Amino acid sequence: MHGFSLIKLFTSFAMMGAEWVMWVLIGLSFVSVSIMIERARYYRSLRDDLDGLASRFEALLRKGDLSGAAKALRASPSPAALVALSGLREVSRGADAAECVMVSSLARVRRELERRLAFLNTVGNNAPFVGLFGTVIGIIQAFDALKPPAGVRGAAAAAAAASATGRVMGTIAEALVATAIGLLVAIPAVAAFNYFQRRIKSMLTDTEALTQLVLAYAHAPAQAAHPAPARIHGHAEIVPVAEAS
């Protein structure tokens, strides 16, 4: 490897220009916007009146109307209803079984809610550095253009340097565009990631509220004397307390 120079190798690479970096950033921006639109539509499809659902659900549980409570949950598209329904189907096996099933269901729901958000977080954190990399490449090109031509001296060298100044300024301006594009790609990705995280946190809080209602019913003294569960849609469901008595 005699005569090998890592600096010369990177300089030769830099001479290829920074335009490809800008295309990479544009590609990342396109994918990020696609994910933002898909996630926004998905979260919108899960919207529901959780306060009203919780009130109806609690009232039905107090009356012992397990069939009505399950029907109310199935009618809701929210993740909270999905998790609570999974626990409600297992209350006949005890509070511990219902809680374990809901924890498992919540893990699957969380995974679906957070899908593709890691990409937005990665783009938001690293797009400025990709743009800065393009700027560095452009600055290397600019300084390389300032070198006087080999074998030229005196007035000819000065004239060559003067003519190169304009090209250098243009190259630096183009290089700074890469940093600007990097920031332009990163800022929406970070904003969308933070917004979606708040939405997920809110949905998980609603889920906690409903799951606690299920556990409260499962821990109720009446549950201990409850008869065998009926089978509805292939899942165990408790016969209402009023019927048991």
Side-chain angles (χ1 to χ4, degrees):
M1 299 297 292
H2 178 71
F4 174 79
S5 173
L6 188 60
I7 294 178
K8 290 182 179 180
L9 178 63
F10 183 76
T11 301
S12 300
F13 172 75
M15 291 304 105
M16 296 171 56
E19 185 176 354
W20 66 271
V21 175
M22 300 180 191
W23 282 110
V24 169
L25 290 171
I26 291 173
L28 291 175
S29 177
F30 177 79
V31 177
S32 297
V33 171
S34 300
I35 292 175
M36 293 176 204
I37 295 173
E38 185 274 332
R39 289 287 90 183
R41 289 178 175 176
Y42 174 67
Y43 296 141
R44 187 176 301 149
S45 70
L46 302 178
R47 296 171 68 177
D48 194 13
D49 180 13
L50 270 300
D51 291 335
L53 175 62
S55 298
R56 295 194 305 272
F57 183 61
E58 183 177 11
L60 291 168
L61 288 181
R62 287 182 180 275
K63 292 190 298 184
D65 186 1
L66 269 291
S67 296
K71 183 178 179 180
L73 293 178
R74 282 194 291 266
S76 173
S78 66
L82 177 64
V83 174
L85 181 61
S86 68
L88 190 64
R89 289 166 174 163
E90 302 297 329
V91 292
S92 62
R93 298 168 56 192
D96 290 340
E99 183 176 10
C100 289
V101 169
M102 287 190 292
V103 169
S104 175
S105 180
L106 179 61
R108 294 193 299 271
V109 165
R110 183 191 294 271
R111 180 184 60 191
E112 182 61 30
L113 290 175
E114 295 179 345
R115 179 174 295 179
R116 301 187 181 93
L117 294 188
F119 183 86
L120 291 181
N121 189 35
T122 301
V123 170
N125 288 330
N126 295 286
F129 295 106
V130 176
L132 182 61
F133 179 68
T135 298
V136 170
I137 289 177
I139 292 175
I140 292 174
Q141 285 184 301
F143 279 104
D144 185 75
L146 285 175
K147 293 190 303 183
V152 178
R153 298 174 181 271
S163 64
T165 302
R167 297 197 306 272
V168 168
M169 294 299 103
T171 303
I172 292 177
E174 293 176 2
L176 292 175
V177 170
T179 297
I181 294 177
L183 293 173
L184 190 63
V185 172
I187 292 173
V190 171
F193 175 78
N194 291 336
Y195 172 73
F196 291 148
Q197 287 286 58
R198 289 194 299 271
R199 288 287 302 273
I200 292 173
K201 184 178 180 180
S202 176
M203 284 187 279
L204 294 181
T205 300
D206 293 332
T207 302
E208 180 70 14
L210 286 186
T211 57
Q212 290 302 315
L213 291 177
V214 175
L215 291 177
Y217 178 84
H219 281 102
Q223 281 297 108
H226 214 282
R231 305 296 298 186
I232 296 181
H233 298 300
H235 297 283
E237 187 166 331
I238 298 297
V239 177
V241 175
E243 297 178 7
S245 59

